[in-house]
PDB file of all heavy atoms in Angstrom:
ATOM      1  N   LYS R  21      -4.303   5.141  20.681  1.00  0.00           N
ATOM      2  CA  LYS R  21      -3.035   4.593  21.159  1.00  0.00           C
ATOM      3  C   LYS R  21      -2.201   4.141  19.951  1.00  0.00           C
ATOM      4  O   LYS R  21      -2.742   3.861  18.885  1.00  0.00           O
ATOM      5  CB  LYS R  21      -3.249   3.438  22.146  1.00  0.00           C
ATOM      6  CG  LYS R  21      -4.296   2.419  21.761  1.00  0.00           C
ATOM      7  CD  LYS R  21      -4.540   1.458  22.927  1.00  0.00           C
ATOM      8  CE  LYS R  21      -5.479   0.321  22.515  1.00  0.00           C
ATOM      9  NZ  LYS R  21      -6.706   0.717  21.863  1.00  0.00           N
ATOM     10  N   ILE R  48       2.200  18.338  12.252  1.00  0.00           N
ATOM     11  CA  ILE R  48       0.953  18.762  12.880  1.00  0.00           C
ATOM     12  C   ILE R  48       1.304  19.462  14.202  1.00  0.00           C
ATOM     13  O   ILE R  48       1.999  18.895  15.043  1.00  0.00           O
ATOM     14  CB  ILE R  48       0.049  17.547  13.163  1.00  0.00           C
ATOM     15  CG1 ILE R  48      -0.226  16.747  11.898  1.00  0.00           C
ATOM     16  CG2 ILE R  48      -1.238  17.996  13.847  1.00  0.00           C
ATOM     17  CD1 ILE R  48      -1.163  17.389  10.924  1.00  0.00           C
ATOM     18  N   GLU R  60      -4.615  26.578  21.328  1.00  0.00           N
ATOM     19  CA  GLU R  60      -3.287  25.951  21.226  1.00  0.00           C
ATOM     20  C   GLU R  60      -2.298  26.883  20.512  1.00  0.00           C
ATOM     21  O   GLU R  60      -1.125  26.937  20.845  1.00  0.00           O
ATOM     22  CB  GLU R  60      -3.431  24.629  20.455  1.00  0.00           C
ATOM     23  CG  GLU R  60      -2.198  23.746  20.402  1.00  0.00           C
ATOM     24  CD  GLU R  60      -1.833  23.162  21.758  1.00  0.00           C
ATOM     25  OE1 GLU R  60      -2.728  22.959  22.598  1.00  0.00           O
ATOM     26  OE2 GLU R  60      -0.615  22.961  21.978  1.00  0.00           O
ATOM     27  N   GLY R  92       5.921  -2.215 -19.248  1.00  0.00           N
ATOM     28  CA  GLY R  92       4.847  -2.758 -20.073  1.00  0.00           C
ATOM     29  C   GLY R  92       3.490  -2.780 -19.402  1.00  0.00           C
ATOM     30  O   GLY R  92       3.274  -2.167 -18.354  1.00  0.00           O
ATOM     31  N   PRO R 106      -7.385 -19.364 -16.079  1.00  0.00           N
ATOM     32  CA  PRO R 106      -7.046 -18.895 -14.728  1.00  0.00           C
ATOM     33  C   PRO R 106      -5.703 -18.153 -14.674  1.00  0.00           C
ATOM     34  O   PRO R 106      -4.829 -18.385 -15.502  1.00  0.00           O
ATOM     35  CB  PRO R 106      -6.961 -20.178 -13.904  1.00  0.00           C
ATOM     36  CG  PRO R 106      -7.531 -21.262 -14.750  1.00  0.00           C
ATOM     37  CD  PRO R 106      -7.390 -20.813 -16.165  1.00  0.00           C
ATOM     38  N   GLN R 113       1.999 -20.615 -18.435  1.00  0.00           N
ATOM     39  CA  GLN R 113       2.293 -20.578 -19.874  1.00  0.00           C
ATOM     40  C   GLN R 113       3.371 -19.537 -20.192  1.00  0.00           C
ATOM     41  O   GLN R 113       3.610 -19.220 -21.347  1.00  0.00           O
ATOM     42  CB  GLN R 113       1.018 -20.217 -20.663  1.00  0.00           C
ATOM     43  CG  GLN R 113      -0.063 -21.306 -20.669  1.00  0.00           C
ATOM     44  CD  GLN R 113      -1.384 -20.772 -21.262  1.00  0.00           C
ATOM     45  OE1 GLN R 113      -1.417 -19.651 -21.806  1.00  0.00           O
ATOM     46  NE2 GLN R 113      -2.444 -21.557 -21.157  1.00  0.00           N
ATOM     47  N   SER R 119       5.600 -12.079 -18.172  1.00  0.00           N
ATOM     48  CA  SER R 119       5.591 -11.148 -19.316  1.00  0.00           C
ATOM     49  C   SER R 119       5.972  -9.752 -18.824  1.00  0.00           C
ATOM     50  O   SER R 119       6.659  -9.001 -19.516  1.00  0.00           O
ATOM     51  CB  SER R 119       4.236 -11.154 -20.017  1.00  0.00           C
ATOM     52  OG  SER R 119       3.290 -10.449 -19.290  1.00  0.00           O
ATOM     53  N   ARG R 125      12.803  -6.124 -17.606  1.00  0.00           N
ATOM     54  CA  ARG R 125      14.237  -6.334 -17.915  1.00  0.00           C
ATOM     55  C   ARG R 125      14.622  -5.480 -19.130  1.00  0.00           C
ATOM     56  O   ARG R 125      15.712  -4.919 -19.182  1.00  0.00           O
ATOM     57  CB  ARG R 125      14.498  -7.813 -18.206  1.00  0.00           C
ATOM     58  CG  ARG R 125      14.496  -8.676 -16.950  1.00  0.00           C
ATOM     59  CD  ARG R 125      14.717 -10.140 -17.277  1.00  0.00           C
ATOM     60  NE  ARG R 125      14.919 -10.947 -16.060  1.00  0.00           N
ATOM     61  CZ  ARG R 125      15.110 -12.275 -16.087  1.00  0.00           C
ATOM     62  NH1 ARG R 125      15.122 -12.929 -17.250  1.00  0.00           N
ATOM     63  NH2 ARG R 125      15.284 -12.952 -14.964  1.00  0.00           N
ATOM     64  N   SER R 128      14.787   0.576 -19.536  1.00  0.00           N
ATOM     65  CA  SER R 128      15.929   1.217 -18.871  1.00  0.00           C
ATOM     66  C   SER R 128      15.461   1.734 -17.507  1.00  0.00           C
ATOM     67  O   SER R 128      14.249   1.894 -17.263  1.00  0.00           O
ATOM     68  CB  SER R 128      16.400   2.404 -19.719  1.00  0.00           C
ATOM     69  OG  SER R 128      15.451   3.455 -19.602  1.00  0.00           O
ATOM     70  N   ARG R 169      16.592   0.710  -7.242  1.00  0.00           N
ATOM     71  CA  ARG R 169      17.208   2.041  -7.396  1.00  0.00           C
ATOM     72  C   ARG R 169      16.168   3.051  -7.864  1.00  0.00           C
ATOM     73  O   ARG R 169      16.158   4.203  -7.429  1.00  0.00           O
ATOM     74  CB  ARG R 169      18.373   1.996  -8.404  1.00  0.00           C
ATOM     75  CG  ARG R 169      19.663   1.401  -7.879  1.00  0.00           C
ATOM     76  CD  ARG R 169      20.847   1.768  -8.771  1.00  0.00           C
ATOM     77  NE  ARG R 169      20.692   1.256 -10.133  1.00  0.00           N
ATOM     78  CZ  ARG R 169      21.070   0.014 -10.513  1.00  0.00           C
ATOM     79  NH1 ARG R 169      21.621  -0.805  -9.630  1.00  0.00           N
ATOM     80  NH2 ARG R 169      20.890  -0.404 -11.767  1.00  0.00           N
ATOM     81  N   LYS R 205      18.128 -20.479  -3.737  1.00  0.00           N
ATOM     82  CA  LYS R 205      19.511 -20.300  -3.235  1.00  0.00           C
ATOM     83  C   LYS R 205      20.098 -18.980  -3.737  1.00  0.00           C
ATOM     84  O   LYS R 205      20.735 -18.254  -2.996  1.00  0.00           O
ATOM     85  CB  LYS R 205      20.402 -21.465  -3.719  1.00  0.00           C
ATOM     86  CG  LYS R 205      20.375 -22.681  -2.815  1.00  0.00           C
ATOM     87  CD  LYS R 205      21.420 -23.722  -3.193  1.00  0.00           C
ATOM     88  CE  LYS R 205      22.880 -23.262  -3.043  1.00  0.00           C
ATOM     89  NZ  LYS R 205      23.167 -22.773  -1.652  1.00  0.00           N
ATOM     90  N   PRO R 213      21.813 -10.495   0.467  1.00  0.00           N
ATOM     91  CA  PRO R 213      22.975  -9.792   1.043  1.00  0.00           C
ATOM     92  C   PRO R 213      23.306  -8.498   0.292  1.00  0.00           C
ATOM     93  O   PRO R 213      23.623  -7.478   0.903  1.00  0.00           O
ATOM     94  CB  PRO R 213      24.109 -10.808   0.918  1.00  0.00           C
ATOM     95  CG  PRO R 213      23.446 -12.129   0.799  1.00  0.00           C
ATOM     96  CD  PRO R 213      22.168 -11.885   0.071  1.00  0.00           C
ATOM     97  N   GLU R 214      23.174  -8.512  -1.032  1.00  0.00           N
ATOM     98  CA  GLU R 214      23.532  -7.328  -1.827  1.00  0.00           C
ATOM     99  C   GLU R 214      22.502  -6.210  -1.610  1.00  0.00           C
ATOM    100  O   GLU R 214      22.872  -5.038  -1.447  1.00  0.00           O
ATOM    101  CB  GLU R 214      23.627  -7.680  -3.308  1.00  0.00           C
ATOM    102  CG  GLU R 214      24.194  -6.565  -4.196  1.00  0.00           C
ATOM    103  CD  GLU R 214      25.561  -6.064  -3.721  1.00  0.00           C
ATOM    104  OE1 GLU R 214      26.289  -6.817  -3.029  1.00  0.00           O
ATOM    105  OE2 GLU R 214      25.881  -4.885  -4.003  1.00  0.00           O
ATOM    106  N   ALA R 221      16.272  -1.773   0.500  1.00  0.00           N
ATOM    107  CA  ALA R 221      14.917  -2.220   0.854  1.00  0.00           C
ATOM    108  C   ALA R 221      14.808  -2.401   2.360  1.00  0.00           C
ATOM    109  O   ALA R 221      15.787  -2.765   3.031  1.00  0.00           O
ATOM    110  CB  ALA R 221      14.567  -3.532   0.159  1.00  0.00           C
ATOM    111  N   GLU R 247      17.203 -12.759   9.336  1.00  0.00           N
ATOM    112  CA  GLU R 247      18.588 -12.827   9.838  1.00  0.00           C
ATOM    113  C   GLU R 247      19.355 -11.560   9.457  1.00  0.00           C
ATOM    114  O   GLU R 247      20.157 -11.027  10.222  1.00  0.00           O
ATOM    115  CB  GLU R 247      19.254 -14.066   9.217  1.00  0.00           C
ATOM    116  CG  GLU R 247      20.558 -14.480   9.827  1.00  0.00           C
ATOM    117  CD  GLU R 247      20.420 -14.903  11.277  1.00  0.00           C
ATOM    118  OE1 GLU R 247      19.351 -15.419  11.659  1.00  0.00           O
ATOM    119  OE2 GLU R 247      21.388 -14.652  12.030  1.00  0.00           O
ATOM    120  N   ILE R 274       5.414  -8.608   9.567  1.00  0.00           N
ATOM    121  CA  ILE R 274       4.666  -7.391   9.937  1.00  0.00           C
ATOM    122  C   ILE R 274       3.280  -7.451   9.305  1.00  0.00           C
ATOM    123  O   ILE R 274       2.299  -6.976   9.856  1.00  0.00           O
ATOM    124  CB  ILE R 274       5.445  -6.130   9.497  1.00  0.00           C
ATOM    125  CG1 ILE R 274       4.860  -4.867  10.112  1.00  0.00           C
ATOM    126  CG2 ILE R 274       5.501  -6.001   7.983  1.00  0.00           C
ATOM    127  CD1 ILE R 274       5.753  -3.648   9.953  1.00  0.00           C
ATOM    128  N   ASN R 306     -10.778  -7.901  -9.815  1.00  0.00           N
ATOM    129  CA  ASN R 306     -10.208  -7.986 -11.155  1.00  0.00           C
ATOM    130  C   ASN R 306      -9.988  -9.433 -11.591  1.00  0.00           C
ATOM    131  O   ASN R 306     -10.044  -9.762 -12.769  1.00  0.00           O
ATOM    132  CB  ASN R 306      -8.883  -7.203 -11.191  1.00  0.00           C
ATOM    133  CG  ASN R 306      -8.288  -7.142 -12.591  1.00  0.00           C
ATOM    134  OD1 ASN R 306      -8.972  -6.812 -13.541  1.00  0.00           O
ATOM    135  ND2 ASN R 306      -7.030  -7.520 -12.696  1.00  0.00           N
ATOM    136  N   LEU R 307      -9.741 -10.327 -10.627  1.00  0.00           N
ATOM    137  CA  LEU R 307      -9.537 -11.744 -10.967  1.00  0.00           C
ATOM    138  C   LEU R 307     -10.870 -12.493 -11.032  1.00  0.00           C
ATOM    139  O   LEU R 307     -10.894 -13.711 -11.182  1.00  0.00           O
ATOM    140  CB  LEU R 307      -8.602 -12.406  -9.935  1.00  0.00           C
ATOM    141  CG  LEU R 307      -7.155 -11.901  -9.927  1.00  0.00           C
ATOM    142  CD1 LEU R 307      -6.333 -12.611  -8.847  1.00  0.00           C
ATOM    143  CD2 LEU R 307      -6.491 -12.095 -11.295  1.00  0.00           C
ATOM    144  N   ALA R 313     -11.508 -11.689   0.449  1.00  0.00           N
ATOM    145  CA  ALA R 313     -10.896 -11.826   1.777  1.00  0.00           C
ATOM    146  C   ALA R 313     -11.972 -11.662   2.848  1.00  0.00           C
ATOM    147  O   ALA R 313     -12.838 -10.800   2.744  1.00  0.00           O
ATOM    148  CB  ALA R 313      -9.810 -10.774   1.956  1.00  0.00           C
ATOM    149  N   ASP R 330      -2.761  -2.995  -4.367  1.00  0.00           N
ATOM    150  CA  ASP R 330      -1.974  -4.057  -4.997  1.00  0.00           C
ATOM    151  C   ASP R 330      -1.624  -3.629  -6.428  1.00  0.00           C
ATOM    152  O   ASP R 330      -1.485  -4.466  -7.330  1.00  0.00           O
ATOM    153  CB  ASP R 330      -2.722  -5.381  -5.035  1.00  0.00           C
ATOM    154  CG  ASP R 330      -1.839  -6.550  -5.505  1.00  0.00           C
ATOM    155  OD1 ASP R 330      -0.595  -6.404  -5.497  1.00  0.00           O
ATOM    156  OD2 ASP R 330      -2.383  -7.598  -5.908  1.00  0.00           O
ATOM    157  N   LEU R 343     -11.363   3.611  -5.291  1.00  0.00           N
ATOM    158  CA  LEU R 343     -12.064   2.422  -5.812  1.00  0.00           C
ATOM    159  C   LEU R 343     -11.981   1.299  -4.777  1.00  0.00           C
ATOM    160  O   LEU R 343     -12.954   0.584  -4.519  1.00  0.00           O
ATOM    161  CB  LEU R 343     -11.435   1.972  -7.129  1.00  0.00           C
ATOM    162  CG  LEU R 343     -11.929   0.622  -7.687  1.00  0.00           C
ATOM    163  CD1 LEU R 343     -13.412   0.695  -8.022  1.00  0.00           C
ATOM    164  CD2 LEU R 343     -11.116   0.205  -8.900  1.00  0.00           C
ATOM    165  N   MET R 345     -11.899   1.658  -1.616  1.00  0.00           N
ATOM    166  CA  MET R 345     -12.883   1.955  -0.558  1.00  0.00           C
ATOM    167  C   MET R 345     -14.232   1.311  -0.890  1.00  0.00           C
ATOM    168  O   MET R 345     -14.829   0.626  -0.060  1.00  0.00           O
ATOM    169  CB  MET R 345     -13.107   3.469  -0.434  1.00  0.00           C
ATOM    170  CG  MET R 345     -11.982   4.255   0.176  1.00  0.00           C
ATOM    171  SD  MET R 345     -12.508   6.003   0.270  1.00  0.00           S
ATOM    172  CE  MET R 345     -10.975   6.766   0.793  1.00  0.00           C
ATOM    173  N   PRO R 356     -17.524   2.246   6.320  1.00  0.00           N
ATOM    174  CA  PRO R 356     -16.648   3.356   5.913  1.00  0.00           C
ATOM    175  C   PRO R 356     -15.591   3.703   6.956  1.00  0.00           C
ATOM    176  O   PRO R 356     -14.453   3.998   6.626  1.00  0.00           O
ATOM    177  CB  PRO R 356     -17.635   4.509   5.682  1.00  0.00           C
ATOM    178  CG  PRO R 356     -18.918   3.837   5.317  1.00  0.00           C
ATOM    179  CD  PRO R 356     -18.944   2.573   6.144  1.00  0.00           C
ATOM    180  N   THR R 361      -9.800   3.519   8.497  1.00  0.00           N
ATOM    181  CA  THR R 361      -8.760   3.032   9.435  1.00  0.00           C
ATOM    182  C   THR R 361      -7.769   2.129   8.705  1.00  0.00           C
ATOM    183  O   THR R 361      -6.555   2.208   8.880  1.00  0.00           O
ATOM    184  CB  THR R 361      -9.412   2.264  10.603  1.00  0.00           C
ATOM    185  OG1 THR R 361     -10.239   3.157  11.343  1.00  0.00           O
ATOM    186  CG2 THR R 361      -8.360   1.662  11.533  1.00  0.00           C
ATOM    187  N   ARG R 416       2.786  20.897   2.692  1.00  0.00           N
ATOM    188  CA  ARG R 416       2.817  21.617   1.405  1.00  0.00           C
ATOM    189  C   ARG R 416       1.583  21.226   0.586  1.00  0.00           C
ATOM    190  O   ARG R 416       1.268  20.028   0.508  1.00  0.00           O
ATOM    191  CB  ARG R 416       4.085  21.175   0.674  1.00  0.00           C
ATOM    192  CG  ARG R 416       4.430  21.938  -0.577  1.00  0.00           C
ATOM    193  CD  ARG R 416       5.835  21.506  -1.016  1.00  0.00           C
ATOM    194  NE  ARG R 416       5.966  21.434  -2.464  1.00  0.00           N
ATOM    195  CZ  ARG R 416       6.704  20.502  -3.092  1.00  0.00           C
ATOM    196  NH1 ARG R 416       7.292  19.550  -2.407  1.00  0.00           N
ATOM    197  NH2 ARG R 416       6.829  20.504  -4.389  1.00  0.00           N
TER     198      ARG R 416
END
Side-chain angles (χ1 to χ4, degrees):
K21 44 188 186 310
I48 304 287
E60 188 68 29
Q113 290 170 9
S119 76
R125 285 178 171 179
S128 73
R169 283 197 299 274
K205 273 189 64 55
E214 189 55 24
E247 193 64 30
I274 192 168
N306 185 49
L307 293 179
D330 188 17
L343 171 63
M345 288 182 188
T361 297
R416 189 171 143 216

